[in-house]
Structures are given as C-alpha cells and as structure tokens.
Amino acid sequence: MAEEEFKTDSDPQYTGNASLTRNSSPRINALSLKRPASPTFEDQDSRKRFKESEGSMDNQCKEDGGTGSQLVDEIAQELECGCCSELLYKPVMVSPCQHTFCGSCCLLWIRNGGTNCPACRAISTTASPSRPLQLVLDALLRNAPQKARTEREREQADVIYKSGTTLRFPSPREASPEPNVNISAEYARPCPHCSPNNTYGWSCPLPIPDPAVDLEHAWHLDDGLPTGHVQCGNCETFLALRAPSTTRCDFCQTYFCGVGVPSRCSAAPIPLQQPHGFTDIGDLIQSSDVYECFNSNTVEVEIMLDYITAQGLSPRHIYRDIVKYILEQPRQFRPLIEMELFIVSHVGPRVEADSSASLHRICRSCACEIFIWGIKDWWIRERRKGFLEERIMNRKDCPAGGGCAMQSEFGHAKEFNHIDGKPVGFAAHSSGSTTPTETTETTAVTEGYHSPSISESIPAVPSAPVSE
C-alpha cells in the first residue's frame, strides 16, 4: 500500500489527491496516466494534413476555374441578340414582351417594315434602352474581353443607332388590294362602265370592245387612248371621263375612277383627303421625308413625335391644320402651284395646273406633298402654343440656327435648339399686328427646306390656338 501510494505521489502527471486516486476506477487512472504524443509524431501528422489540404485546394481552384469559364459562356449565350445572334451591343428592350436586341438591329428591323417584336412577333409599341442590361454587359466584358464585338461592327452599329434613343414600332397595316391592271399588253380592256348591264347605274356612250370577245374591233394601245377614256391615277384601269364616279385632282389634273379602290381611287375635297402613305404615327417614324424636312435633326423629330403621341393627333389632323393655315393666306395654294410642287408621275394624260383656276379636289399624292411641305411650319406653330416642357423650350439656341450643319449629330442637337418657335403672347394674336419677333420667326420657317418664293408670297399671319 505504501509502495503504491509512493508511486502515485511521485508521478509528475499526478495532480489530484492520493485517496481519490486509490478510490477511482481503473479507466480514470489510465486516462490520467496517459503520456502525450511525441513532438516528432505531431509534426509528421500536421505536414500530412497540410499536403492533403493543399491538394484539395488546388483541385478546388481548378474546379472553380472551369466553372467560371462555363459561367461566362452561359451568360454570354443568354445575352445574344435575337436578330444577329451575337453579343448584345447597346441593347434595347421591346415593350411589352421584354425581348432584347441590339439597338442597331432593332432600328433596321423597323426601317425594313417591321411592326412587331422580331422574336415573338407580338404587338409592340416601343424599344427602350436597357441600362441594367448594359451594366451586366460591361461587367461581363471586363472579365471576358474576348467576348466583345469587333471594332468594325461597333462602328457600323454606331452609325445606325444613337445610344439612348427610344425606338417606336409603327402600327400593323392591312395589305393593299391587288390593282386591276390591264391584262393584255396590246389591247385596251373595257372600263367598269363599258358593259351595258353594269352595277354602277351608268354606261359609256362609246364602250371599249372586249378583246377576249371581239378581237377584230378591239382597241389597240398603239392607237392611243380609247375615245372618252383615260387611265385611273391609282389602279391604272381605264375609266370613263363622263362617269359620275370619275373625279379629277385640281392640282395635278389626274383622273380617278372611284371604283377600283374607292378610298384611294378618288380626288376628295381638299380638307377631307388622306395624305398618301401617312395613316398613323408609325408612318411618320418610317418616313425619311419627315426627317429631311428637319435637316436630319432626329432630336427635334423625336420631340415632335412625343408631342403628337401625347396630344393624340393623327397625320390627317396635322394635314387639316396645314390646309387651314394655307387657306387663311391671301394667295392660298397659288405659290405651291407656281413652284411646281404637284408635278407627279400619275398615269394618263394631264394638263398643267392653272394657278388662277378654283381648287376644290385633291388626290392622295398631292395631299402628301402639302403635308410634307407644311409639317415643319405646323410644328413651329405648335411650339408657340407653349405646351412643351420647360427643359425643351429653355435649351440654348444654336448660333447657326435652323441651317446648322451639325444638327444631324445627336449630341449637338440635344444640347441646342434649332427651331425658332418660342411661344408668342396672346395679345399679339388678338391685335392682328405683326411684331418684329414674329417676322423673324416666320422668316426662319422658310430657311433650309422651304423656297424663298414661298416666304415672299405668303406673309406672316399669327395663328390663334386651335381648340380641339
């Protein structure tokens, strides 16, 4: 007992009471007497664990590298343009379907007649620049610059589409009916009134023989036009000059049958006609003539289109305002006739327009000429009403004015105002007097697109606000 007690007391690992040790179980004694591992063994074990962890970290890095490259490829694939199948460049998002395309691709789609989304063909209204998507593209190209489009492609896209521009889709239009043209290239076909039992209630006194029935008496086209007949200026079929449905444009002296396509084969009263090719605002967007009127100032055209959309105006409404303004002038349409604005390529014989004759009817093509000629003046008069936002009206005036050669550049046109159409006080309108300011503004209207003869022939007449 004494020997056992001595060993326990002399053991350096022993820190407890001897009596407690003697009364403890053998398991507790073994744990308390166990020697620690040697330093050599611990070093070997730690080095082994370090090598294993280092190998696992290398494998993890390799796996992460492969995953990162795969992630870049997947993101780039998701960011492909639906038109060109390349990585998006200056992306725009179509509303309301939210498909995305390159700005240049979407603009070319609209210019080529597209009226809906290029991807899903759903009815679309606008395509707006997508800033969040552009930030994602920038982050992708910072980590994978090899995914970027070539410099040549970017330059070509920049020429077509200006960054930050909202695109508008024109409304879908119905297909035009096929014209009923002459089938035979040698003989004249009968007009709708040549048949004695036609459904129009009037028959030609000198009908054209049908070459399919009476070839011997058929009218050969080398002999000129059949007696009492001319070709319609729209559908190009022969018409009877004395038929009740026949009308003539007093501007280009072209006849229309009123039968083939009634809405188009007619010369309507001047204020009621529909300008050819301008049915809704989508036609304004696609018309290059409208942009030429503003010297390719796309910013000013966009402002005008936004105004037209907000006011719910149509091209026919604008045309009527233009006609009303011209009719208020002393010489009315005479200056436009004298400048040969209505020399158009209609089919059939015409006589030159007489500026002294009364003007009552107009065709769709001549109405289009008036519309294009007067849209810039109309916009200046609308700006004078003061309905535009202050940020637009308070832009600095360009020193070069409406004839500035730089207004076709997006940045310059956005910074400076090139339309001299500040609001005019109502007192000037009610008094009927022409102030120096109004004279300057009216002179500016005729710069660039309009002929100087028009500014001399049509004096400045203050226009009162049009009540809708």
Side-chain angles (χ1 to χ4, degrees):
M1 177 66 70
E3 183 178 0
E4 182 181 356
E5 184 178 351
F6 172 76
K7 289 182 179 179
T8 305
D9 293 327
S10 62
D11 193 338
Q13 301 295 329
Y14 175 72
T15 57
N17 195 321
S19 61
L20 291 176
T21 305
R22 286 191 298 270
N23 295 331
S24 300
S25 62
R27 178 179 179 82
I28 297 177
N29 291 337
L31 291 173
S32 62
L33 296 177
K34 185 177 180 180
R35 292 185 299 175
S38 63
T40 305
F41 177 80
E42 290 182 353
D43 293 340
Q44 292 177 352
D45 185 66
S46 62
R47 285 196 296 269
K48 182 178 180 181
R49 287 198 300 270
F50 175 76
K51 289 181 179 180
E52 292 176 354
S53 63
E54 184 179 12
S56 63
M57 290 177 63
D58 292 338
N59 294 333
Q60 184 68 26
C61 291
K62 293 179 181 179
E63 292 176 1
D64 291 343
T67 305
S69 177
Q70 183 180 359
L71 179 62
V72 169
D73 294 338
E74 291 180 355
I75 293 177
Q77 186 176 2
E78 292 296 330
L79 297 178
E80 286 184 357
C81 172
C83 290
C84 64
S85 299
E86 297 290 343
L87 188 66
L88 289 169
Y89 181 69
K90 294 183 178 180
V92 295
M93 180 176 292
V94 176
S95 298
C97 62
Q98 297 188 351
H99 286 113
T100 54
F101 307 92
C102 300
S104 56
C105 293
C106 190
L107 181 55
L108 289 176
W109 168 265
I110 295 175
R111 287 181 179 177
N112 291 330
T115 59
N116 46 22
C117 174
C120 63
R121 298 299 194 272
I123 298 177
S124 307
T125 55
T126 59
S128 305
S130 178
R131 179 172 175 78
L133 196 58
Q134 184 62 53
L135 295 177
V136 175
L137 286 169
D138 294 340
L140 175 66
L141 295 178
R142 282 196 299 269
N143 293 274
Q146 70 277 5
K147 298 289 185 180
R149 304 285 289 269
T150 63
E151 183 178 358
R152 178 60 176 168
E153 290 177 340
R154 296 196 299 269
E155 290 177 354
Q156 292 177 344
D158 291 338
V159 172
I160 299 172
Y161 174 74
K162 304 297 182 182
S163 181
T165 304
T166 300
L167 306 177
R168 294 179 177 84
F169 285 89
S171 302
R173 63 183 65 180
E174 298 180 359
S176 301
E178 293 294 332
N180 184 17
V181 297
N182 291 317
I183 301 176
S184 175
E186 298 181 1
Y187 299 97
R189 302 285 300 180
C191 78
H193 297 90
C194 287
S195 175
N197 298 322
N198 64 79
T199 59
Y200 303 105
W202 188 88
S203 299
C204 296
L206 297 174
I208 303 174
D210 189 350
V213 178
D214 188 4
L215 184 60
E216 182 180 356
H217 297 89
W219 188 281
H220 203 285
L221 292 177
D222 292 340
D223 298 332
L225 294 174
T227 305
H229 292 79
V230 293
Q231 284 183 288
C232 175
N234 181 69
C235 65
E236 302 184 10
T237 58
F238 282 105
L239 59 88
L241 289 173
R242 298 182 181 180
S245 59
T246 299
T247 56
R248 188 190 70 176
C249 176
D250 294 329
F251 291 83
C252 64
Q253 305 298 313
T254 304
Y255 290 89
F256 297 88
C257 65
V259 175
V261 186
S263 61
R264 300 184 180 185
C265 297
S266 64
I270 296 175
L272 304 181
Q273 186 58 278
Q274 171 71 48
H276 177 69
F278 291 98
T279 304
D280 52 27
I281 191 173
D283 297 321
L284 295 176
I285 298 171
Q286 291 184 303
S287 174
S288 59
D289 293 332
V290 173
Y291 289 88
E292 290 179 4
C293 293
F294 291 84
N295 297 325
S296 301
N297 190 331
T298 58
V299 174
E300 193 64 37
V301 174
E302 289 295 326
I303 295 173
M304 182 186 69
L305 294 176
D306 290 338
Y307 174 83
I308 293 174
T309 303
Q311 297 294 327
L313 304 178
S314 65
R316 175 176 283 186
H317 183 105
I318 299 172
Y319 166 76
R320 290 177 180 177
D321 285 348
I322 296 173
V323 169
K324 179 181 178 182
Y325 178 78
I326 295 177
L327 291 175
E328 293 174 353
Q329 311 309 313
R331 301 191 63 203
Q332 298 184 353
F333 293 100
R334 304 296 185 270
L336 281 68
I337 295 176
E338 292 173 359
M339 67 182 295
E340 299 183 350
L341 187 67
F342 306 107
I343 302 299
V344 292
S345 57
H346 277 322
V347 180
R350 295 183 292 108
V351 295
E352 296 300 327
D354 185 5
S355 60
S356 62
S358 58
L359 304 173
H360 301 287
R361 291 183 173 272
I362 190 172
C363 65
R364 289 165 53 91
S365 296
C366 292
C368 177
E369 295 292 342
I370 293 177
F371 179 83
I372 293 297
W373 177 86
I375 188 171
K376 187 175 182 180
D377 290 355
W378 172 85
W379 175 234
I380 292 177
R381 294 192 295 273
E382 290 296 312
R383 284 173 60 108
R384 291 176 182 174
K385 296 179 181 179
F387 295 151
L388 295 179
E389 300 177 8
E390 292 185 1
R391 62 178 182 86
I392 297 176
M393 299 301 296
N394 293 336
R395 289 182 301 166
K396 296 181 294 184
D397 292 334
C398 178
C404 177
M406 296 181 60
Q407 60 181 309
S408 59
E409 299 180 5
F410 180 79
H412 181 79
K414 189 174 183 180
E415 181 180 0
F416 294 98
N417 171 49
H418 297 84
I419 301 295
D420 191 4
K422 301 292 181 62
V424 178
F426 289 100
H429 289 282
S430 59
S431 63
S433 60
T434 304
T435 62
T437 304
E438 293 178 33
T439 304
T440 303
E441 291 175 353
T442 307
T443 304
V445 173
T446 60
E447 293 179 358
Y449 182 72
H450 298 300
S451 172
S453 60
I454 299 302
S455 62
E456 298 173 0
S457 304
I458 302 180
V461 175
S463 58
V466 179
S467 59
E468 298 297 337

